[in-house]
Amino acid sequence: QWDLVCDNDWKGPLSTSLFFVGVLLGSFISGQLSDKFGRKNVLFATLAMQTGFSFIQVFSTSWEMFSVFFVLVGMGQISNYVAAFVLGAEILGKSIRVLFCTLGVCIFYAFGYMLLPLFAYFIRDWRMLLLALTLPGLLCIPLWWVIPESPRWLISQGRFQEAEDIIRKAAKINGITAPDVILDPSEMQDLNSQKQQTYTILDLMKTRNILTITIMSVILWMIISVGYFGLSLDTPNLHGDVYLNCFLSAVIEVPAYIISWLLLRNLPRRYSMAAALFLGGCVLLFIQLVPSHMRALSILLVMLGKFGITSAFSMVYVYTAELYPTVVRNMGVGASSMASRLGSILSPYFVYLGAYDRFLPYILMGSLTVLSGILTLFLPESYGRPLPDTIEQMLLVKGLEYRPASSSTRDVKEEEENPEIFKSTAL
């Protein structure tokens, strides 16, 4: 419509990259806003932002106007995704938290992904298609009166009574009699003395341990993002019908999320993620060995690679959220997500390399994915451990020197050794 062909064909992939630039910016600021103003407030503010600017985008009169609003839509989209993810991770119990972070979030993401080619097949006008994808955002309005604020965040802010009210309401809904004392008085006093302390993005580099985890998470997320979005955007280049291939690319995510949930539920995080990454990376490297006439096998291997990388993408959210403490968890996940957006911005250009050599994108993505699997093995294991609340309670990265535990670190060890004592304060 805006002559995006010939000399202007570069504007097409640039539109995708600009959307991911917005996602990058949103990842950077959403974590800090959420840690400061609360998970719930940021969640609904950014939902309104995404829906509102998408609606305005329908009436774009030029490519430039469309692209500017695409950046803003990207900022809102990732911000509400990360806020909702962290809110669910903090408010739910351990077993349900894993279910929410994998099947709860990701399966419905896959359902939306499957609906996209279906909508696009029947709605060929891009304005009407965008409108059809935007209006469901209005269905989130009633959820304001259903979704509570994170009790963990409220406690970290010293708002103990509000946190206790939410916990008692949850206990009542679940038919459980709450104890007379939910929050230990000594714990409340200790947290109350720290409630004025503010945290910034610099706290993700405060100690050598958290700095190491941050650097490793950034690299891991970036590589996984390159693989995931690179394979997703490469779908039109596969042999066969573009709508069907896009649908298959979405369908393969459903078993990937189910497998990731089972792995997270029963096996250590580190080995589960490494196995998924090794599978995805090795399969992509094998594609170049498939004879040119066996196109169906090539598509099968691409989907298998997408399966492995999608499983890892699902698990890395849970893993990262468990590694960071409550006081900077949203910031940590947001910073990692921001790094993954750098990967997503680069992913269209990985696909573009296929114009020079059809197998070059798969060789690069496969090699990087295998390397990220090796990197995962050096992260600390969080399986079966309580969520850390302070930076001192974080698990040590392999290879770092052991330092004497602070009182808060000793509390975590006592909780692991005597879990029954701490049941009354568990969220």
Side-chain angles (χ1 to χ4, degrees):
Q1 183 173 357
W2 294 317
D3 196 29
L4 305 185
V5 294
C6 299
D7 292 340
N8 289 325
D9 62 352
W10 56 271
K11 293 183 178 180
L14 180 59
S15 299
T16 304
S17 291
L18 286 174
F19 171 81
F20 286 122
V21 166
V23 173
L24 170 64
L25 296 174
S27 300
F28 180 74
I29 64 173
S30 64
Q32 298 178 69
L33 291 175
S34 186
D35 285 332
K36 184 175 182 179
F37 298 107
R39 304 353 183 178
K40 181 179 178 179
N41 292 332
V42 172
L43 169 62
F44 284 92
T46 52
L47 274 170
M49 178 181 179
Q50 179 186 354
T51 304
F53 285 122
S54 292
F55 183 75
I56 298 175
Q57 203 178 16
V58 173
F59 304 97
S60 298
T61 57
S62 65
W63 175 80
E64 289 76 12
M65 178 180 176
F66 179 90
S67 299
V68 168
F69 284 113
F70 217 15
V71 173
L72 298 174
V73 169
M75 290 177 64
Q77 185 271 333
I78 191 60
S79 298
N80 63 59
Y81 188 91
V82 172
F85 176 85
V86 174
L87 176 59
E90 291 183 344
I91 204 170
L92 299 172
K94 184 173 67 174
S95 60
I96 302 300
R97 179 172 68 242
V98 174
L99 180 65
F100 166 80
C101 294
T102 51
L103 298 187
V105 173
C106 298
I107 285 292
F108 285 93
Y109 174 89
F111 286 161
Y113 191 174
M114 285 187 279
L115 287 174
L116 174 60
L118 183 64
F119 274 51
Y121 182 81
F122 290 103
I123 307 175
R124 298 302 176 96
D125 180 73
W126 71 266
R127 295 182 191 273
M128 291 299 101
L129 175 60
L130 184 56
L131 184 63
L133 299 175
T134 298
L135 292 179
L138 299 176
L139 299 177
C140 297
I141 294 176
L143 296 179
W144 173 266
W145 292 274
V146 178
I147 298 176
E149 182 55 270
S150 165
R152 283 184 178 271
W153 179 80
L154 291 171
I155 291 173
S156 71
Q157 300 297 305
R159 295 159 63 175
F160 305 109
Q161 188 57 52
E162 293 177 58
E164 186 166 319
D165 290 342
I166 291 174
I167 296 171
R168 291 191 182 280
K169 183 178 180 181
K172 183 179 179 180
I173 293 174
N174 292 325
I176 298 173
T177 302
D180 294 333
V181 179
I182 295 180
L183 301 175
D184 184 81
S186 60
E187 180 186 3
M188 290 178 62
Q189 185 176 3
D190 179 57
L191 286 170
N192 191 46
S193 64
Q194 301 178 20
K195 70 178 182 179
Q196 297 301 325
Q197 183 177 358
T198 57
Y199 293 87
T200 67
I201 197 75
L202 296 178
D203 286 290
L204 298 180
M205 300 173 281
K206 187 174 183 180
T207 65
R208 188 168 64 166
N209 184 49
I210 193 172
L211 174 61
T212 303
I213 289 178
T214 299
I215 292 174
M216 294 172 74
S217 296
V218 163
I219 296 173
L220 188 61
W221 280 64
M222 187 182 300
I223 293 175
I224 294 176
S225 181
V226 167
Y228 177 82
F229 288 103
L231 291 177
S232 299
L233 295 173
D234 192 54
T235 301
N237 297 327
L238 298 177
H239 175 72
D241 183 76
V242 61
Y243 296 99
L244 178 60
N245 288 337
C246 183
F247 181 76
L248 291 176
S249 181
V251 168
I252 197 65
E253 296 197 5
V254 175
Y257 294 137
I258 294 174
I259 289 295
S260 65
W261 169 62
L262 293 174
L263 291 174
L264 288 171
R265 186 179 180 185
N266 300 296
L267 295 173
R269 314 293 195 235
R270 192 169 55 211
Y271 300 123
S272 299
M273 269 199 60
L277 289 168
F278 284 139
L279 170 65
C282 291
V283 166
L284 293 180
L285 290 174
F286 287 148
I287 292 176
Q288 60 183 314
L289 304 178
V290 178
S292 58
H293 65 276
M294 301 180 68
R295 294 174 176 173
L297 180 58
S298 296
I299 294 177
L300 178 62
L301 291 178
V302 170
M303 295 305 167
L304 191 56
K306 177 81 180 293
F307 171 86
I309 294 176
T310 300
S311 298
F313 215 160
S314 174
M315 289 187 278
V316 76
Y317 271 93
V318 179
Y319 197 8
T320 306
E322 291 179 345
L323 290 177
Y324 281 105
T326 300
V327 291
V328 292
R329 181 170 296 118
N330 215 126
M331 239 183 295
V333 175
S336 300
S337 181
M338 179 182 70
S340 79
R341 302 316 149 193
L342 289 174
S344 62
I345 291 171
L346 293 174
S347 60
Y349 300 99
F350 272 73
V351 176
Y352 181 71
L353 291 174
Y356 299 95
D357 186 324
R358 185 69 192 95
F359 298 111
L360 185 57
Y362 299 120
I363 295 173
L364 292 176
M365 290 187 288
S367 301
L368 289 173
T369 302
V370 170
L371 289 175
S372 66
I374 297 173
L375 178 66
T376 302
L377 296 174
F378 292 93
L379 285 168
E381 183 54 64
S382 62
Y383 179 64
R385 305 292 184 91
L387 286 177
D389 285 314
T390 64
I391 293 176
E392 291 76 15
Q393 292 175 356
M394 292 182 66
L395 296 166
L396 286 175
V397 177
K398 282 184 172 183
L400 288 184
E401 294 179 4
Y402 175 78
R403 291 182 175 80
S406 64
S407 59
S408 57
T409 307
R410 287 196 296 271
D411 290 343
V412 174
K413 292 184 177 180
E414 291 173 6
E415 180 178 347
E416 295 171 5
E417 296 170 1
N418 306 286
E420 296 297 323
I421 299 176
F422 291 85
K423 276 190 175 179
S424 63
T425 60
L427 295 179

